[in-house]
Amino acid sequence: MHILSKILSTLFHPMMIPTLGLFIIFNVGGHYAYLPVDHKRVVYLIVLLSTCILPLSLIPLFMLTGVIKSIYMKTRKERILPTTLTGIFYCLGYFFLSRINIVPSFINGFMLATIVTIAVALIITLFWKISMHMIGIGGLTGAILALAIRFGIDAWMIFSAVLLISGLLGSSRLYLNAHTTAQVHVGYLLGAVLVFWGVLQ
């Protein structure tokens, strides 16, 4: 169970969620699925760089300087600076995406909603250790639901699968003693509500 919990926490790390969400958007159906492959590659590259590769690249520096003690960032204080810089990288990604005419407004909305969610999570983290994993998977749940409602796409199978993964991930975070039940539930609701509302606009 411990190994499974670690695997789930790694596979569905918050930094992987935007790229996973983008993959679902491009493959769930609707007119976004028909974008030229070259256009999709540009969007994938920007999102992957700004939301995953660049934030992860700073972890060795954070550990070397003592900002964090481990890659798991178990304490609330350890998460403040990494979360701040992650938000800045997300903003850079959104800036570049918004300057490219080929990028659909829905994807820009998804990125912007994610930035707002990170900002709110950062404020909460100043006082309380909220679950970033659950914020991420909650945001993905909200984005898929908004996609289905806004464009009338049959995404209920994917939505159900993400709900199941959300439950397993939440249980994993609790099993690893990474968070309390309240931190898991509040994180999930925060991500789901903010991203759903932002993407639906």
Side-chain angles (χ1 to χ4, degrees):
M1 183 63 181
H2 184 82
I3 294 176
L4 178 59
S5 296
K6 288 283 189 179
I7 291 173
L8 284 171
S9 294
T10 301
L11 288 177
F12 298 99
H13 192 277
M15 292 182 186
M16 292 302 299
I17 295 298
T19 303
L20 177 59
L22 189 62
F23 177 80
I24 292 174
I25 290 171
F26 281 150
N27 292 277
V28 74
H31 57 286
Y32 296 129
Y34 301 101
L35 284 174
V37 175
D38 289 342
H39 291 183
K40 290 181 180 179
R41 286 175 181 168
V42 171
V43 177
Y44 272 128
L45 181 60
I46 293 175
V47 171
L48 184 62
L49 278 172
S50 62
T51 66
C52 184
I53 295 177
L54 288 176
L56 284 176
S57 69
L58 291 179
I59 289 181
L61 177 62
F62 288 148
M63 293 185 66
L64 184 64
T65 56
V67 174
I68 62 175
K69 296 179 180 178
S70 74
I71 60 173
Y72 301 109
M73 291 178 268
K74 294 182 178 180
T75 67
R76 175 186 58 80
K77 290 183 178 180
E78 284 183 283
R79 298 178 175 214
I80 294 175
L81 182 58
T83 301
T84 301
L85 293 178
T86 296
I88 292 173
F89 286 135
Y90 273 56
C91 288
L92 285 174
Y94 173 76
F95 173 80
F96 286 116
L97 286 176
S98 64
R99 294 300 185 276
I100 303 175
N101 294 329
I102 62 172
V103 179
S105 60
F106 180 86
I107 294 175
N108 283 328
F110 174 62
M111 282 293 289
L112 183 58
T114 304
I115 291 170
V116 172
T117 305
I118 290 175
V120 174
L122 177 59
I123 294 172
I124 294 174
T125 302
L126 295 174
F127 308 97
W128 192 52
K129 183 186 173 185
I130 193 169
S131 175
M132 296 296 185
H133 276 80
M134 297 311 296
I135 289 175
I137 199 68
L140 182 60
T141 307
I144 294 172
L145 183 59
L147 178 68
I149 293 174
R150 184 173 175 181
F151 299 106
I153 296 173
D154 184 9
W156 299 112
M157 288 294 292
I158 296 176
F159 179 73
S160 299
V162 173
L163 277 181
L164 176 60
I165 291 170
S166 299
L168 293 173
L169 183 60
S171 298
S172 296
R173 303 308 291 164
L174 292 174
Y175 180 82
L176 294 171
N177 292 318
H179 294 284
T180 65
T181 302
Q183 291 166 352
V184 166
H185 289 169
V186 173
Y188 185 76
L189 288 174
L190 176 68
V193 171
L194 289 182
V195 176
F196 173 78
W197 178 83
V199 171
L200 199 59
Q201 302 306 306

